[in-house]
Amino acid sequence: MENAMQAREPVIFELSRPGRTAAAQQPPPAPAHDIPERYCRQRPPALPEVSELQAVRHFTRLSQQNFSIDTRFYPLGSCTMKYNPKVCNALAMLPGFLDRHPLAPAVTGQGLLTCLFELQEMLGAVTGMAGVSLTPMAGAQGEFAGVAMIRAYHRGRGDLQRNEIIVPDAAHGTNPATATMCGMKVRELASGPDGDVDLAALDAALSPATAGIMLTNPSTLGVFERNIVEVARRVHAAGGLLYYDGANLNAILGKVRPGDMGFDVIHVNLHKTFSTPHGGGGPGAGAVGVGERLLPYLPVPVVGRDGAGYRWLDERDLPQSIGRLSGFMGNTGILLRAWVYLRILGADGLRRVAEFSTLNANYLLARLIEAGFDPACPGRRASHEFSLTLRREAREFGVTAMDFAKRLLDYGYHAPTTYFPLLVPECLLIEPTETESREELDGFVEALSAIRREAGTDPELVRGAPHTLPVRRLDDVRAARQLDLAWRPASQ
Amino acid sequence: MSEIPAELRYTKSHEWVRALPDGSLMVGITDHAQGALGDLVFVEVPEAGRQLSAGDACAVVESVKAASDIYAPLGGEVLAGNDSLATQPELVNQDPYGQGWILRLRPDADPDSALLMDAAAYGEFVAAGH
Amino acid sequence: MPYIPHTAEDVRAMLGRIGAHSTAALFDEIPPGLGVDTLPGVPPALSEMEITRLAMERASRDGRPLNFVGAGAYEHHIPAPVWALATRGEFYSAYTPYQAEASQGTLQVMYEYQSMIAALTGLDASNASLYDGASALAEACLMAVRAHRRSRSARILVPRTVNPVWRRVARAITEGQGLVLEELPWCPQSGTTATEALAAHAGEDITAVVIQQPNFFGQLEDVDALTRQARALGALVIAVANPVALALLKPPGEWGDGGADIACGEAQPLGIPLSSGGPYLGFMATRMEHVRQMPGRIAGRTVDQAGRPGYTLTLQAREQHIRRGKATSNICTNQGLLMTAATIHLSLLGPAGLTRVAEACVARSRELVAALTASAGARTVFAGPRFHEAVLGLEVPVAPVLEALAGQGIVGGWDLTGDYPELGHALLVCATETRTTADIGTYARALESLLDRARAA
C-alpha cells in the first residue's frame, strides 16, 4: 500500500487542464456585467482548473503529510499543543453563529453576545483582572494591546518620558518586537543563574524612563518566578507597570492568578490555554485583561450589559480606548470555541489542567533525568514544561539538539521546541500538556534514549534524519537565495 | 583557525577596516564572523551619500537562522555599498576580505584615532571566545 | 475528568517516580499566600450533552436573517468540501510548520495560496496571510515606510473612501511608530477620490498613497489615474482590493504605469464564513524588490538533501523570533486554517468559477438597487461604475428603518450616518450571488412599506 507520507503530491497547478471545472460550485450564469472595460482585467486570473474530486484528493493527501495533535504526540514547548475537543469546533460552527454578519444589529445576536460576555467574565476570574477585551486576534496582537495600554496610561497622566520596556533575555521574540511596534525602547534584563529575575539587574534597569516590564511566569525556562511579588513591588515603586505574557498560563490555571501576583495587564493565548485550534499556524486569539487603572484604555469593542440585553461597547463608551485592532470584533469563532471549552471544564476542570500538565512535565523530566539527560535548570521544579540542554551530547557525539529533533520525527513524535530560550545551549523545550497519557510519555522517553544510543553508535544516522518522511532535510539556504514563492510554469 | 590578515584593523563587533590609498576606508566582516553566521542569504548595504556616526548600524547580513547588524567603525560618508552582494551574498562567505567587502567610507576623523585592534589583538580577542 | 487520561494508578506511579507525595507538592515553588483555592466566576462543569443543548438554544435564538449588508464582510456560497477538508485534524490541530519535514502539507498549501494571491493581484510575491483586512492595511502602511528608500516623512494619504473602520485600525496600530495618516476628500458626484486631491500634495514628501478598489461605497476608483498621480508625488501605492472583485477588475500589479507596490485586503470572501466577525484572513502581496520588507510567514519551494522538491518557511530573518526588537512586525502566525480554506475554495472555483461568482454579484447588486430605488423614498447617491455595493439615500433616518427591518428578519445594510454625516440619511447595501430575486423582492416590499408608512406619518 502506498504510504501517504512518502508520496510527492504535485502542485495543484500541475493538475490543471484548461476548461476543467468543479461545475457544481458555480452559480448560474449571470447577464453580462456593465463595468467599463478600462476597469477590467484582460485575462482571467491564473488559478488552477481542476475537478471537485481532484481538489478533494489533493488536499486530503496534503493533510496526510502533516504531523498534528490528532495523529501524534506534539510536545512543542511554549505552544501548549493539547487536544482540541471536537465539540468546540462543532458548536462554534452552528449555523446561527456561523452565518451571522458581524454588522447585523445586536438584537439579532443576543445568543452570541451572551456567550462572549460569559467568556469575558470567566477570563477575568481566571486571571484576577478587573476587565477583559476579547478583540486581539493573536497573542502578538494581545501583547501589542497590552503595551499600547501601558503607553496610553503614562501619556494620560502626562508622564511622557516613560519610553522603555524591560524585557528578560529569555523572553519570546515577540516581546521586544511588540515594544518596538509601540514606539518603545527595549531594555534587556539578564536572567539569574537559577532562572529567576536577577533583582540587582532589575534595580539597575529601572529608571524614570521605565514604562513597564514584560514577564512570562512560569518563565520561558519552564520555572516559576519565585521573586514575582518583590519584582512587582520594585517596578511599581519605580512608576512602571507589569505586563504578563500569557504563554504559560496553562501551568497555573486555578492555582495562582496574575492579578494577585501584581500584574497590571495580561494577554491570554486562547489557542494555547483554552485549547482552540492552532490550525497550521493560526487563527489565534489573544484576549487582554487589565487591572482597574488600565480599564479606560481597553481596545474596543467590548461586550457590555445594557439593561436586559448585551451590546458592543465602542469608542463612544470608552473614549480613552487605544482603539480598534480588527475590522470587526476579533476572532469571534475562536472565542466561541474557548467559551465551550471553559464551560465543559468548569472551575474544577481548570485547576486539573494546571495539576495534570505539571504532573506530566515533572514525570517526563524525572524520567529523562533518570535516562541520563541534563536539565537546563537543575534542582528546579518543572512547571508545565521544562528545558533540557544537549550540550554534553553535542560535545561527545557531534550530534546537535536539531539532530535529535529531526530523528524524533522518524520515531513518530513531533520535535520539542529547539534552540529556545536562546540562552540555553543545545536546548530542547518540552511541554507534554495534560491531555497525554503516561504510556505516550514513556514512549517518548524511550525514543529519546534510543536516539542517544544511535548518536553513540551511528551518529550519521541521526545527523541525516529524518529518513521516513516525504522529504529529507530541506535546503534552507537555497530557499532564501533563490526565492521561489509562487508557482510559475517554469518552476515545474 | 580563521584567517586574520595582518594589514587590516578590526573592531570588537567583528568588522575589518582597510585603509585605501585615497584616504577612504573599506569595511567588511571578518572570516571568523562569516564562519559563525554560516551561509549568508542576504546582505543589505548602505546607499552612497549616507552620513554615518561611529557605531551606527549601517548594513545587515542575514543567514537562514540569524541576522546581524554591521556597525560603522568610524563616522563618515558612505562612498559606496558593494552592490554585487545583492545577487551574490555568498561572496562574503567565499572571500570576506576581498570581493565580499560591504562598504566604502570617507571617514570624518583620523582612522588612527579610533580604538581599532591590530591583527594580533583581534586574534587574541577571538581566541578568548568573543 | 474531561480530556485527562490519567487513572488513579497512573497518578500514584507518576508521583512516585517524581518523588512527590501529592500533585499539590508540585506547586511548592509558588510563594505561600499567593495561590487561590477556587475560581469564583467560573461556573461548574457541563457535560458535552449539556453544553450542546445550551449552545444550540443560543445559536437558534439569533435566527437566520436575510442579509443585505457587506461593508467589509461578504456572504458567499462556500463549497461543502472547503470546511470538510480544512477541519481535518491534520490541518486543524497542527501548528506553524517549524519542522518542515513533518509539515509539508501545510507548507505546500501556503505555497499554493501564495501563488493564487499573486495571480489575483498581479504581483510577484504574497505572504501566507495576516490576521484580517484591517490589520493587513496597518501592516502595509508600516511596510511602505520601511520600503521607501528616500521618503523620511512617514506620511500616508488615505482617502475617506477607504473603509472607515480599517482607517481607525491602521491609525491605532501605526501610531506608536509615528506614522501620519492623512485623509483625502472624495467627489460628491462619483463617490470616488479625485486625482486633484492627490495633486494638491505636489512637492511634499509623501511616503505612500492608499487606494481601495472597489471603495467602501462600492464605487470603482480611477485606479490608473490615481496610481500615476501617486507616482508623480514619489509615493508608493498601497492597493486595497476585494479578492472576488479581482476576478473581473484590473489587478493592482497592472494599475497605472507600473502598478501598485503593495496589495492587501480581506480574503474572507474566499470561503470563510461570516462567523459574526472572524476569524478571517488578511492577504498581502508585493513586488520582488520589496519582499524583504513584507511582514508575516512566507513559504518557499526548495529541494531536500536528496534533490527532491519540498517546501520550507523562508526569509525568516525578518521575523520576531530572530530579529526580536528589529523585526518587520511582531506577528508570529498567519491565519493558517483560514488560508487553507481559501486555497481549497479558489481551487474549487478556478478562474471560470470565480469570474462567474463576481458576475453574479454585479448582476444581483444591480437588481437590488433597481428594486429598492423603485420606491419613491430611496435613490442612489452616486453615479459611475460599481461592483456589488451601493449607497442609497433615504428620505428618513436610517437607524429606525434598519431596526424595523431587523424585526422582519432582514439585515438591510449599514448605516453610514455615523462615519459620513455629510451624506445625510445614507445606507450602504450589498447583494452577492447568494441573493435570489425572491430575496430581493422581500426586502424591496418591506422597505417600500416602511418608507410609505414614514411618509404617511
Side-chain angles (χ1 to χ4, degrees), chain A residues 157-444:
Chain A
R157 291 156 45 94
D159 198 351
L160 304 177
Q161 60 180 341
R162 296 192 179 272
N163 62 354
E164 277 185 14
I165 293 281
I166 301 172
V167 178
D169 53 6
H172 198 257
T174 45
N175 290 172
T178 298
T180 304
M181 271 194 99
C182 291
M184 294 282 180
K185 289 197 192 106
V186 178
R187 188 180 257 266
E188 276 220 344
L189 185 64
S191 304
D194 55 0
D196 285 336
V197 165
D198 179 339
L199 290 173
L202 176 66
D203 285 340
L206 289 169
S207 78
T210 302
I213 183 169
M214 301 177 85
L215 288 175
T216 310
N217 192 18
S219 75
T220 52
L221 291 161
V223 293
F224 192 84
E225 173 56 62
R226 292 171 292 191
N227 296 326
I228 186 60
V229 175
E230 183 57 21
V231 169
R233 196 190 64 73
R234 295 187 191 192
V235 173
H236 283 145
L241 298 185
L242 283 89
Y243 175 88
Y244 182 94
D245 180 325
N248 294 342
L249 186 65
N250 214 55
I252 57 164
L253 272 187
K255 290 285 177 184
V256 57
R257 309 189 305 171
D260 299 333
M261 295 182 211
F263 285 95
D264 301 285
V265 49
I266 167 175
H267 92 265
V268 179
N269 295 300
L270 301 182
H271 49 284
K272 297 180 183 177
T273 316
F274 300 105
S275 212
T276 68
H278 282 77
V288 283
V290 294
E292 293 286 344
R293 53 182 154 183
L294 291 181
L295 272 177
Y297 305 103
L298 278 174
V300 289
V302 178
V303 189
R305 221 197 295 252
D306 194 2
Y310 298 96
R311 70 175 178 90
W312 291 108
L313 304 180
D314 61 19
E315 294 89 340
R316 282 163 297 192
D317 304 288
L318 289 167
Q320 289 175 278
S321 164
I322 58 161
R324 285 177 184 266
L325 304 176
S326 72
F328 297 101
M329 57 284 288
N331 286 340
T332 315
I334 299 303
L335 303 172
L336 281 169
R337 286 167 173 83
W339 170 78
V340 175
Y341 180 78
L342 275 149
R343 293 299 309 262
I344 288 181
L345 260 60
D348 292 342
L350 293 179
R351 283 173 68 82
R352 280 195 298 267
V353 165
E355 287 168 3
F356 285 87
S357 62
T358 303
L359 176 68
N360 274 358
N362 280 283
Y363 173 74
L364 195 52
L365 173 61
R367 289 223 46 201
L368 286 167
I369 291 174
E370 282 173 32
F373 289 95
D374 298 332
C377 297
R380 293 294 307 263
R381 190 74 86 187
S383 60
H384 67 315
E385 68 184 357
F386 59 90
S387 330
L388 294 182
T389 172
L390 301 184
R391 186 167 35 177
R392 203 155 44 82
E393 287 77 4
R395 204 166 45 221
E396 282 176 28
F397 310 124
V399 168
T400 63
M402 186 57 82
D403 298 329
F404 269 82
K406 296 296 185 195
R407 184 63 178 150
L408 269 171
L409 304 177
D410 283 331
Y411 279 84
Y413 295 100
H414 195 279
T417 298
T418 51
Y419 300 99
F420 179 81
L422 299 168
L423 52 100
V424 176
E426 299 298 329
C427 180
L428 291 183
L429 182 61
I430 302 172
E431 179 181 5
T433 83
E434 71 280 6
T435 59
E436 295 298 333
S437 68
R438 183 180 160 202
E439 299 88 274
E440 199 71 58
L441 306 182
D442 289 341
F444 181 72

Side-chain angles (χ1 to χ4, degrees), chain A residues 34 41 98 281 380 491, chain C residues 29 64 246 275 301 334 366:
Chain A
D34 56 9
R41 69 190 300 150
L98 202 65
R380 293 294 307 263
S491 69
Chain C
E29 291 197 353
R64 306 281 302 278
L246 284 178
S275 193
R301 193 155 118 125
N334 61 334
R366 301 294 179 273

Side-chain angles (χ1 to χ4, degrees), chain B residues 41-42 47 60 62-67 69, chain C residues 149-150 292-293 315-318 322-323 326:
Chain B
V41 297
F42 182 67
E47 284 186 52
V60 181
E62 255 182 49
S63 68
V64 174
K65 300 274 184 260
D69 288 316
Chain C
R149 299 204 41 124
R150 291 173 312 282
R292 281 169 195 279
Q293 302 305 336
L315 295 177
Q316 290 193 79
R318 300 163 299 122
I322 291 178
R323 284 294 260 165
K326 290 178 180 166

Side-chain angles (χ1 to χ4, degrees), chain C residues 101-260:
Chain C
E101 303 85 349
S103 316
Q104 286 294 296
T106 291
L107 284 161
Q108 186 169 332
V109 174
M110 280 183 172
Y111 180 81
E112 293 179 357
Y113 165 84
Q114 291 169 190
S115 306
M116 293 177 195
I117 295 296
L120 280 172
T121 57
L123 288 164
D124 303 325
S126 158
N127 67 14
S129 74
L130 299 165
Y131 306 136
D132 75 348
S135 62
L137 174 59
E139 290 282 5
C141 293
L142 292 170
M143 174 178 165
V145 171
R146 293 189 298 268
H148 202 304
R149 299 204 41 124
R150 291 173 312 282
S151 171
R152 292 284 169 267
S153 70
R155 280 177 72 198
I156 298 186
L157 302 180
V158 188
R160 291 192 73 227
T161 57
V162 172
N163 184 320
V165 174
W166 293 23
R167 284 187 271 133
R168 289 207 280 278
V169 171
R171 196 159 283 135
I173 293 179
T174 64
E175 183 224 20
Q177 292 182 63
L179 269 66
V180 182
L181 307 187
E182 292 178 32
E183 288 182 351
L184 287 177
W186 43 272
C187 157
Q189 283 75 41
S190 64
T192 59
T193 308
T195 47
E196 296 77 48
L198 268 183
H201 290 276
E204 300 170 19
D205 177 0
I206 304 292
T207 306
V209 176
V210 176
I211 305 169
Q212 183 174 7
Q213 181 79 323
N215 70 21
F216 186 65
F217 300 139
Q219 303 292 125
L220 297 186
E221 299 274 3
D222 188 350
V223 291
D224 291 327
L226 290 171
T227 301
R228 280 189 208 105
Q229 189 64 52
R231 293 240 172 277
L233 296 178
L236 297 181
V237 174
I238 299 170
V240 178
N242 175 327
V244 169
L246 284 178
L248 299 181
L249 300 181
K250 188 181 278 191
E254 295 173 16
W255 290 3
D257 305 316

